[in-house]
Amino acid sequence: MKQLSSIIKKSGRYATLQFFSSLSLLCIVGLPLAAVVLFAIFPNLNILNFDVPFSNWAKYFSDSSLLNAIKNSLFLGVCVVICSTLISMPIAYMRSIIPKKVGVFIDILALTPFLIPPYIGAAAWIQLLQKNGFSEQLLGINLSEYLFSFWGLVFVMSLHLYPIIYFSISSAFNVTSRRYNDAAFTCGAGRLRTFYRIQLPLSLGALVSSSLIVFILTIEEFGTPEILGQRFQFNVIVTAIHEKFSDWPIDLPGASVLSLILFLIAFLFFSLHILILKKFNAQTEASVSETIIKLSYCEKFIYLSVIAIILTLSILMPLGAIIARSFMTTVSGGLQIDNFSLVNYIEIFSSGSDAWKALTTSIGLAICASFICVFIATVTCFIIVRVKNKFTIFIDFLSLLPSAIPGMALAVGLILVWNHPFWPVTPYNSLAILLLAYSCLMLPYPIRMIASTLRQLPSSLDDAAYVSGANETIVIFKVLLPIITPVAIASGLIVFAISSRELVTSIMLAPAGVETVATFVFNQFDQGSINVGMAMSVITIFVTGILIIIARNLAYTRQFNNH
């Protein structure tokens, strides 16, 4: 069989598949990233002039406003990581000692913040805490001064990102809290001592690796700093890049330098995340039975109260504000019964309205992006998992690279690549440029899911097909793909759900006169038409939630069948 596989790998069809995979990844991932690097080095590259490399770097690094934006991004990232850890650590620990059924319910609720796009969540908090906001109307409390401050920005972003740390350390606690806890309790250790001497050290790898992801997502986030930060003149790298394109004269070299800095920071922390996962993941053996910890009524009340407060702040309050605003006829009418109606939803589903056009545009783009990503991921994963040589290492690297490319840097790279008159055909200023952006950003999802499933399938399936006269194309699409179809569909649904609400690349790359769901909602907020924007947000959150639940069930079914 080994001889057969080695002969097959030298066939022309194998070379064709490898060429297709590498070419697709180079066009979607490599070109925009290379453009950012080259334009950052050669400021006149847009006229194909390679003179005076790095000539603009001194100017940009002497600009106090740009240096301040970089410093703000880094400080914001650190503060959000600390705040997210402080939020997630208590409920993760409580999750490990409360009954399993209650814990599963908390896990489901903790997923909800992911369903609310950050820019929508920021707008919801504005409706809650601003002057004459819901909190002032109901309770007479006006916290606008706090909300429109650095710590208000940290608070809002942390409430969106803390589930990343929560799920990571909660999983670690669930393992270490069983046999090791039993041994500690038997030796007379108290709960607090057991936590900081056993659970926390063994969970440190999970905590650090998830914190790095939170840091990356914080410095990449555009919507929340733009919506909240601009109210108190707080600039970060992504908003500074956006200003380079939105303010005249457009500064391509400056945008490329900042995009390169943003990418290098994200790539560094993503590499550290991968290294920690590989090297410092605590290996523990959990007992089959669940550890029973008897809690007093007072302890149960305290634990559940803390969890309820956190979930109320991260879910109930912003989601309630979004839903309430979506049914309001006018902003000035406030929370009055006669101010509630379905007029905003009627406008969205009115054929020919701007909202309907944005919705159908996003659905069409998301469907196309799903098919493109799943197709490329299927071929790429076959090359990565089933064929291992020096060139597949390069393909594997390119397939992981989008995880470290910020959306803003990708948008800048695509503009730098395709906005040139020498191209006979260019996707720029068309919907195709959005497809390229969505495909790059979403590729890691199907690649990770499909690659993980393929690794669980024995290679004897491929060999049996080869013996029967099949080639690589038949093996991929007639042997392996039917088996991994549930996972492929699940990954496609995730791509659809996330790309349909993608904001950064949509704002930067959408052709003139074209709106997606994200740009429509963002522009509605910017223009003061909050109600229609919130109605569109409710639809987005609902659809995203349904699709992710279906995707999760499909992936779970596939995993269960494998076992």
Side-chain angles (χ1 to χ4, degrees):
M1 286 295 180
K2 291 183 179 179
Q3 293 180 349
L4 175 64
S5 298
S6 64
I7 294 174
I8 292 293
K9 291 176 184 179
K10 296 180 182 179
S11 69
R13 287 190 178 88
Y14 158 73
T16 301
L17 292 174
Q18 187 166 265
F19 175 77
F20 168 79
S21 177
S22 57
L23 182 63
S24 300
L25 292 174
L26 282 172
C27 290
I28 295 175
V29 181
L31 271 181
L33 183 57
V36 169
V37 175
L38 291 175
F39 269 86
I41 297 174
F42 304 102
N44 298 316
L45 189 62
N46 57 320
I47 58 174
L48 301 181
N49 187 337
F50 294 90
D51 296 336
V52 291
F54 299 102
S55 59
N56 280 337
W57 283 57
K59 178 181 73 173
Y60 293 122
F61 282 103
S62 62
D63 187 340
S64 59
S65 62
L66 295 183
L67 292 177
N68 193 50
I70 297 172
K71 182 189 70 174
N72 288 344
S73 288
L74 297 177
F75 186 57
L76 178 64
V78 172
C79 291
V80 170
V81 166
I82 294 173
C83 188
S84 299
T85 302
L86 293 177
I87 294 173
S88 58
M89 187 69 73
I91 58 174
Y93 174 74
M94 295 171 196
R95 166 70 174 85
S96 68
I97 63 176
I98 61 179
K100 186 176 180 181
K101 292 182 179 179
V102 179
V104 172
F105 178 69
I106 293 173
D107 288 346
I108 295 173
L109 290 178
L111 281 172
T112 307
F114 287 136
L115 304 180
I116 306 175
Y119 58 95
I120 295 176
W125 278 105
I126 292 176
Q127 303 308 306
L128 281 167
L129 302 183
Q130 68 179 347
K131 185 178 180 181
N132 297 323
F134 295 156
S135 64
E136 188 170 5
Q137 294 179 42
L138 295 174
L139 305 173
I141 299 175
N142 178 8
L143 296 177
S144 59
E145 185 176 348
Y146 168 74
L147 178 64
F148 301 122
S149 68
F150 173 77
W151 294 111
L153 180 62
V154 170
F155 171 77
V156 172
M157 297 187 76
S158 299
L159 287 179
H160 176 72
L161 294 173
Y162 84 87
I164 296 174
I165 298 179
Y166 163 74
F167 281 109
S168 181
I169 59 178
S170 174
S171 177
F173 283 169
N174 283 337
V175 173
T176 59
S177 65
R178 299 175 188 273
R179 181 172 298 177
Y180 290 87
N181 280 11
D182 291 342
F185 293 149
T186 301
C187 295
R191 201 172 297 159
L192 180 61
R193 185 177 179 86
T194 302
F195 171 75
Y196 74 81
R197 293 295 297 272
I198 296 178
Q199 287 181 283
L200 187 58
L202 288 174
S203 306
L204 197 58
L207 174 61
V208 174
S209 64
S210 58
S211 296
L212 292 173
I213 294 298
V214 169
F215 182 88
I216 294 171
L217 293 176
T218 300
I219 66 171
E220 291 179 0
E221 172 58 27
F222 169 74
T224 308
E226 177 70 15
I227 292 174
L228 290 179
Q230 293 304 307
R231 302 289 186 99
F232 57 98
Q233 304 303 312
F234 185 81
N235 271 334
V236 292
I237 298 177
V238 285
T239 56
I241 295 172
H242 184 252
E243 287 180 2
K244 295 291 183 183
F245 279 94
S246 58
D247 295 342
W248 187 262
I250 294 175
D251 186 2
L252 289 178
S256 60
V257 170
L258 284 173
S259 298
L260 179 59
I261 293 172
L262 182 62
F263 167 72
L264 291 176
I265 295 172
F267 183 77
L268 172 63
F269 281 87
F270 182 75
S271 300
L272 289 174
H273 162 73
I274 297 297
L275 180 63
I276 290 172
L277 285 181
K278 290 182 178 179
K279 299 293 184 181
F280 300 103
N281 188 26
Q283 298 296 323
T284 58
E285 182 182 0
S287 59
V288 177
S289 61
E290 183 180 0
T291 301
I292 304 298
I293 298 179
K294 294 183 179 180
L295 301 175
S296 65
Y297 288 109
C298 182
E299 286 178 319
K300 289 180 181 178
F301 176 77
I302 293 173
Y303 290 161
L304 293 178
S305 296
V306 172
I307 293 173
I309 290 172
I310 294 174
L311 294 179
T312 297
L313 288 172
S314 61
I315 301 170
L316 186 60
M317 291 178 65
L319 194 58
I322 294 169
I323 295 173
R325 181 62 74 184
S326 72
F327 286 102
M328 287 186 178
T329 305
T330 63
V331 175
S332 59
L335 295 171
Q336 302 296 327
I337 296 297
D338 58 356
N339 193 37
F340 287 87
S341 69
L342 295 173
V343 63
N344 301 314
Y345 292 94
I346 293 173
E347 180 178 343
I348 290 174
F349 291 103
S350 297
S351 180
S353 67
D354 292 339
W356 177 253
K357 291 178 181 178
L359 185 61
T360 53
T361 298
S362 283
I363 290 174
L365 286 170
I367 291 174
C368 293
S370 300
F371 280 104
I372 291 172
C373 287
V374 170
F375 183 81
I376 293 176
T378 302
V379 177
T380 300
C381 291
F382 175 79
I383 298 296
I384 294 172
V385 176
R386 289 300 199 243
V387 182
K388 295 182 179 179
N389 56 35
K390 293 181 179 180
F391 196 73
T392 57
I393 296 176
F394 173 69
I395 295 177
D396 193 12
F397 172 75
L398 280 179
S399 68
L400 289 176
L401 200 56
S403 300
I405 300 180
M408 184 63 75
L410 172 65
V412 171
L414 289 171
I415 292 172
L416 295 175
V417 169
W418 298 111
N419 186 24
H420 294 289
F422 57 75
W423 291 110
V425 178
T426 175
Y428 188 74
N429 203 30
S430 70
L431 293 178
I433 196 75
L434 289 175
L435 269 182
L436 284 175
Y438 294 170
S439 299
C440 179
L441 291 176
M442 304 303 146
L443 259 179
Y445 296 101
I447 284 179
R448 287 173 184 171
M449 295 177 69
I450 294 175
S452 176
T453 305
L454 278 180
R455 289 189 177 98
Q456 299 176 25
L457 299 179
S459 58
S460 57
L461 289 172
D462 309 26
D463 294 333
Y466 290 141
V467 170
S468 302
N471 55 47
E472 286 81 356
T473 306
I474 294 177
V475 170
I476 293 175
F477 294 104
K478 291 191 175 182
V479 177
L480 298 178
L481 185 58
I483 300 176
I484 64 172
T485 292
V487 174
I489 294 175
S491 65
L493 291 175
I494 291 176
V495 170
F496 180 94
I498 300 177
S499 59
S500 63
R501 67 187 207 182
E502 163 59 26
L503 175 65
V504 177
T505 54
S506 299
I507 284 181
M508 296 288 289
L509 300 173
V514 174
E515 283 191 316
T516 64
V517 165
T519 59
F520 176 82
V521 172
F522 191 83
N523 290 334
Q524 293 297 305
F525 294 159
D526 192 46
Q527 296 166 8
S529 303
I530 305 296
N531 298 342
V532 178
M534 286 301 187
M536 183 72 85
S537 302
V538 171
I539 295 171
T540 300
I541 294 169
F542 177 77
V543 172
T544 300
I546 293 297
L547 292 178
I548 289 179
I549 290 172
I550 295 173
R552 181 182 179 277
N553 290 336
L554 286 172
Y556 177 79
T557 301
R558 175 67 255 171
Q559 184 180 11
F560 178 80
N561 290 338
N562 284 342
H563 289 292

